[in-house]
Amino acid sequence: MAAERKSGGIRNIGIIAHIDAGKTTLTERILYYTGRTHKLGEVHDGEATMDYMPEEQARGITIMSAVTTCDWKNARLNLIDTPGHVDFTIEVERSLRVLDGAVGVFCAVGGVQPQSETVWRQADRHGVPKLVFVNKMDRVGADFDRVLTQLKTKLGAVPLVLTRPYGQEENFKGVLDLLRRRVYSWANDDLGAEMKETAPPPDLAAALETDRAALLETLAENDDEIMEDYLEGREPSEDRLRAAIRRATLGLKLVPVFCGAALRNKGVQPLLDGIVDYLPSPADLPPLTVRDPQGIPVQVEFREKAPLAALVFKIQMVDQGRKMSFLRLYSGRLAEGDEVLNPRTGQKDKIGRILRIHAGKRDRIGEARAGDLVGVVGLRSAATGDTICAPDRPVLLESIQAADPVISIALEPKNSADLDKLAETLGKLAEEDPTFKAKIDDQTGQTIISGMGELHLEVLTQRLAREFGLSVRSGKPQVVFRETIGQPATGEGLFDRDLGGAHHRARAVVTVLPLSRGEGYQSENRLAAPETIPPPLLAAALTTLAEGGHSGPLQGFPLLDLKAEVTELELGEGEDSEAVVRTAVSLALREALGQAAPTLMEPLMHLEITTPDEFMGEIIGDLAARRGRVEELTGQSGFKVLSALAPLNELFGYSTAIRSQTQGRGSFTMHFSHYDVAARK
Ligand SMILES: Nc1nc2c(ncn2[C@@H]2O[C@H](COP(=O)(O)OP(=O)(O)OP(=O)(O)O)[C@@H](O)[C@H]2O)c(=O)[nH]1
Ligand SMILES: [Mg+2]
């Protein structure tokens, strides 16, 4: 192939999209065509290699992001197939954190659906270059150009069309390569393994030239070299074009677009070429500037000879609870037996096995290098988002953000002798998944688990039985509330007591102020002369204030959307006890909160409901009864799409309601929007 093709090297790539867009189906083709697997596994048969968990196979959806490795045109592809369901958003977040590029898959009928929008923005936040694969060109209603328009309007992307569909719906035959002016088609008897290349038929030649001219124009607008060619009327060579596309993709200016029908085995090989040609290898990325534990900037370079720096992006319990950590190596090498440091815990560990992961299977490889994604055994204290590094050069890579749970249920083991085992097992599951929490309720003594949605908790409960042999009964799902305040208030906290023969005194004044929605809990030092307070006592005061956000005055839910300021801190003669200062600040904060009209806030969900016109009235009526608010109504030929905001508390069992209101023809998706003060019915 062309000389400019960046062959060799590694591509760490994620497949991201809305639920059911065809990510796993596409990944299965990639594994088959690259020779990684010798049988094509289908999601709908429960046989996809990547969806290897029984909970995934039974539902035909991806739940955990699965890692695999294959080779294409001298490059090594480390792929992560992510779930589209919003309950498993942490799986997308952790994947995007360690990947260098992404393929966004869009359904040619559904277009840019809500969850694709969310994951696209997640990728933008991580600065990840992307390609687009418009899938399901074989389906009735497939419309390639509509998806292109939505890429621009909904995602603000600049699409660069490299392959166009050749035929569509049941006549979808293959794709037109605009760069090379060729037609690619695939036969059915070899499951698309062989790509046939021909000249375009005469009736398509004119349209192809128009599309190609549009491609060159878009490229010229985003690349100076091609602009020069364009202005001087020169036809750029294919190599020059590829190099320009690569530059513009890595520079996040353009998004190359491919198309096909993964299920029909069409269009996948040109996308694979695109991944190698246009997405970055770790060597293309600039060195990372991070910090050491003292806060001093350190550069982490992509070099095998540099000290080790790796990020733990996932923890998985394998083989009856043994802990495996997934690592992305940013620099250095790692071999079995090496001693490494976890700077967060200060713990040193010896690396046990190093494994190359292929979905549910693992091969022992003995060592790993910069750029690799591997599993390792032996990191005792590692948690998701931790850095693992050389003991003599501690660094802290950027961690992984996890959303807070919004729903909870009470659990109890069917056999009460299992109570301790339940607590231990829930602890392990929470280690795997930072969006899952388990605790014992102080008042009722019940075990409460919380997570991102009903499906999330249902899957975790099933895993308790299947993987750990724990049968449990579960209560009804409840939303997880937050607390906030309605007005500013000030409180005073005084600690004045004789303790252990000495007199202790500290007095603090704290003011709380409401903030706008989405601003979270903030704390601030507003002392007039903080330098007069001994530093350890000042630190104790500020930590207490910051930690005060963990639990509100009403029911102990976390506080949101308010600011707490400490304005006065007086210490008694000879006072040096941190505990005394903490108590004074904490009393002052409690008193301020109590007078600030505290209220509960509930999670509000953004809903997108698709329904045939005739059921609209009923859906809107029902939404109003659920305290929902319609925000936008769009639609085309007989169908309406309703965007609405409604409290999660009223949405339990909504999928059954939608099915019955629309005779099974309507559907919806929802994702968390924000917390707000609970409105009355
Ligand atoms: N007609 C048609 N159906 C497809 C195509 N690709 C995938 N499908 C079907 O779409 C459904 C969903 O495919 P998946 O590959 O599981 O989708 P996914 O994006 O991995 O879904 P999640 O992992 O649950 O987010 C399956 O029934 C596939 O057979 C395609 O090109 N054409
Ligand atoms: Mg999937």
Side-chain angles (χ1 to χ4, degrees):
M1 186 45 84
E4 281 285 347
R5 166 159 284 158
K6 273 261 184 181
S7 59
I10 297 177
R11 301 289 180 279
N12 289 316
I13 304 303
I15 315 279
I16 57 171
H18 191 84
I19 191 160
D20 267 358
K23 298 173 289 294
T24 304
T25 306
L26 172 66
T27 310
E28 295 298 317
R29 268 62 194 176
I30 294 180
L31 295 181
Y32 187 65
Y33 302 148
T34 56
R36 187 69 181 82
T37 55
H38 301 290
K39 184 173 164 282
L40 209 45
E42 298 291 14
V43 175
H44 52 82
D45 298 329
E47 288 189 353
T49 314
M50 301 305 279
D51 287 350
Y52 63 93
M53 285 168 65
E55 287 76 12
E56 297 179 312
Q57 291 163 351
R59 292 179 176 80
I61 64 166
T62 305
I63 290 170
M64 286 237 226
S65 48
V67 181
T68 189
T69 299
C70 54
D71 297 313
W72 185 254
K73 306 252 163 94
N74 295 326
R76 160 144 297 187
L77 313 186
N78 292 320
L79 290 179
I80 300 189
D81 174 27
T82 66
H85 195 288
V86 47
D87 280 16
F88 309 109
T89 164
I90 180 67
E91 296 295 308
V92 181
E93 181 63 23
R94 62 165 121 234
S95 307
L96 287 171
R97 171 66 189 82
V98 294
L99 291 168
D100 305 321
V103 176
V105 180
F106 296 88
C107 168
V109 182
V112 178
Q113 294 157 293
Q115 190 60 10
S116 332
E117 225 174 304
T118 308
V119 295
W120 190 270
R121 302 214 187 289
Q122 265 172 294
D124 279 344
R125 182 154 50 74
H126 289 283
V128 170
K130 301 176 245 20
L131 305 184
V132 161
F133 185 70
V134 180
N135 190 31
K136 305 200 186 183
M137 280 309 309
D138 62 309
R139 276 189 58 192
V140 175
D143 188 339
F144 182 70
D145 289 303
R146 188 173 65 222
V147 183
L148 289 182
T149 308
Q150 293 182 353
L151 288 173
K152 292 183 214 161
T153 55
K154 291 198 175 179
L155 303 179
V158 181
L160 186 77
V161 180
L162 296 182
T163 68
R164 269 204 158 263
Y166 176 31
Q168 67 184 25
E169 302 183 338
E170 76 270 39
N171 290 321
F172 179 63
K173 297 188 213 43
V175 305
L176 300 166
D177 181 335
L178 301 186
L179 219 54
R180 302 185 57 229
R181 298 184 169 93
R182 304 296 279 174
V183 173
Y184 304 140
S185 55
W186 288 266
N188 278 328
D189 47 9
D190 65 350
L191 299 172
E194 200 68 45
M195 180 170 104
K196 199 167 125 208
E197 188 180 320
T198 48
D203 60 326
L204 279 183
L208 192 148
E209 285 313 316
T210 315
D211 291 334
R212 193 172 192 279
L215 185 170
L216 291 195
E217 202 174 308
T218 309
L219 194 54
E221 282 163 12
N222 289 282
D223 187 84
D224 292 346
E225 283 189 28
I226 302 298
M227 180 54 98
E228 254 172 54
D229 293 343
Y230 191 73
L231 293 177
E232 288 167 22
R234 256 195 323 258
E235 163 82 21
S237 69
E238 194 185 313
D239 287 353
R240 214 169 142 78
L241 287 171
R242 280 188 206 285
I245 298 172
R246 183 179 181 80
R247 274 194 300 275
T249 308
L250 299 191
L252 306 177
K253 293 183 190 157
L254 289 176
V255 179
V257 178
F258 299 84
C259 63
L263 187 65
R264 309 291 167 214
N265 311 314
K266 295 187 168 86
V268 178
Q269 289 91 340
L271 172 72
L272 274 167
D273 286 348
I275 291 175
V276 176
D277 287 346
Y278 309 127
L279 289 180
S281 105
D284 292 324
L285 305 171
L288 297 168
T289 302
V290 298
R291 295 189 178 270
D292 75 1
Q294 274 71 49
I296 298 166
V298 189
Q299 286 227 324
V300 171
E301 273 179 79
F302 172 76
R303 257 193 325 127
E304 279 178 40
K305 294 233 163 72
L308 174 75
L311 187 78
V312 179
F313 64 96
K314 188 176 165 95
I315 301 283
Q316 201 174 332
M317 301 301 160
V318 292
D319 312 333
Q320 278 92 42
R322 209 151 51 111
K323 179 167 164 179
M324 180 167 75
S325 311
F326 286 69
L327 294 185
R328 156 84 200 248
L329 269 70
Y330 285 91
S331 77
R333 293 168 80 111
L334 188 63
E336 293 182 356
D338 279 1
E339 193 184 55
V340 297
L341 171 74
N342 180 337
R344 182 181 63 85
T345 60
Q347 185 162 0
K348 285 184 193 160
D349 282 312
K350 216 178 205 66
I351 294 289
R353 289 164 184 239
I354 300 185
L355 306 154
R356 169 133 359 261
I357 314 292
H358 175 49
K361 298 206 179 67
R362 307 181 277 278
D363 293 324
R364 193 164 169 185
I365 51 173
E367 66 161 23
R369 300 138 197 255
D372 272 346
L373 297 179
V374 292
V376 303
V377 178
L379 299 174
R380 287 167 296 164
S381 66
T384 300
D386 280 358
T387 301
I388 297 299
C389 57
D392 56 357
R393 204 222 23 188
V395 290
L396 289 166
L397 300 167
E398 187 196 328
S399 188
I400 293 173
Q401 293 176 14
D404 286 326
V406 289
I407 102 167
S408 68
I409 51 173
L411 279 190
E412 73 182 17
K414 287 197 180 147
N415 181 349
S416 58
D418 280 343
L419 208 55
D420 286 345
K421 184 173 173 198
L422 178 65
E424 185 196 335
T425 310
L426 291 173
K428 285 187 176 163
L429 292 177
E431 243 188 286
E432 283 191 354
D433 179 351
T435 60
F436 169 71
K437 304 254 161 36
K439 64 164 193 184
I440 310 278
D441 188 293
D442 291 343
Q443 273 142 33
T444 62
Q446 277 180 314
T447 302
I448 308 285
I449 61 170
S450 42
M452 303 305 295
E454 282 178 274
L455 182 62
H456 187 201
L457 295 184
E458 183 186 310
V459 165
L460 283 156
T461 313
Q462 286 177 359
R463 287 185 57 201
L464 286 177
R466 180 179 61 83
E467 286 177 41
F468 302 92
L470 272 169
S471 321
V472 292
R473 266 189 291 272
S474 46
K476 273 173 87 143
Q478 317 255 319
V479 304
V480 179
F481 290 95
R482 294 284 186 275
E483 297 181 19
T484 192
I485 55 171
Q487 65 191 39
T490 297
E492 182 186 310
L494 180 64
F495 186 98
D496 195 356
R497 249 188 259 170
D498 288 324
L499 274 181
H503 186 74
H504 291 278
R505 184 175 187 280
R507 180 183 157 271
V509 176
V510 168
T511 297
V512 291
L513 303 157
L515 296 176
S516 313
R517 293 291 158 257
E519 293 201 54
Y521 177 84
Q522 301 174 13
S523 60
E524 201 174 308
N525 171 4
R526 294 285 301 273
L527 296 174
E531 65 286 353
T532 58
I533 315 273
L537 299 186
L538 181 63
L542 298 178
T543 316
T544 306
L545 200 63
E547 287 173 354
H550 296 335
S551 117
L554 295 174
Q555 295 177 37
F557 290 112
L559 285 162
L560 278 187
D561 302 343
L562 68 105
K563 182 147 130 187
E565 302 174 343
V566 54
T567 53
E568 291 177 42
L569 184 59
E570 264 173 47
L571 304 179
E573 198 76 1
E575 183 54 69
D576 63 355
S577 159
E578 289 177 22
V580 169
V581 171
R582 282 178 176 278
T583 310
V585 172
S586 161
L587 287 171
L589 177 63
R590 288 284 122 191
E591 187 184 305
L593 289 170
Q595 293 171 7
T599 45
L600 285 183
M601 292 208 289
E602 60 177 345
L604 294 188
M605 306 302 280
H606 179 82
L607 285 170
E608 194 149 319
I609 306 161
T610 309
T611 170
D613 283 344
E614 63 255 47
F615 307 115
M616 273 268 300
E618 194 171 343
I619 289 185
I620 293 180
D622 174 63
L623 269 177
R626 294 172 188 269
R627 298 188 282 131
R629 195 173 72 221
V630 176
E631 301 210 302
E632 201 190 18
L633 195 60
T634 51
Q636 55 207 337
S637 55
F639 265 85
K640 285 277 176 298
V641 180
L642 266 156
S643 299
L645 211 56
L648 177 59
N649 210 11
E650 309 285 339
L651 292 172
F652 292 118
Y654 193 56
S655 45
T656 319
I658 279 282
R659 258 196 308 269
S660 72
Q661 283 160 25
T662 62
Q663 296 164 12
R665 293 171 60 206
S667 64
F668 79 104
T669 59
M670 67 174 172
H671 64 262
F672 172 71
S673 170
H674 64 282
Y675 271 93
D676 212 337
V677 173
R680 284 174 203 281
K681 261 195 206 190

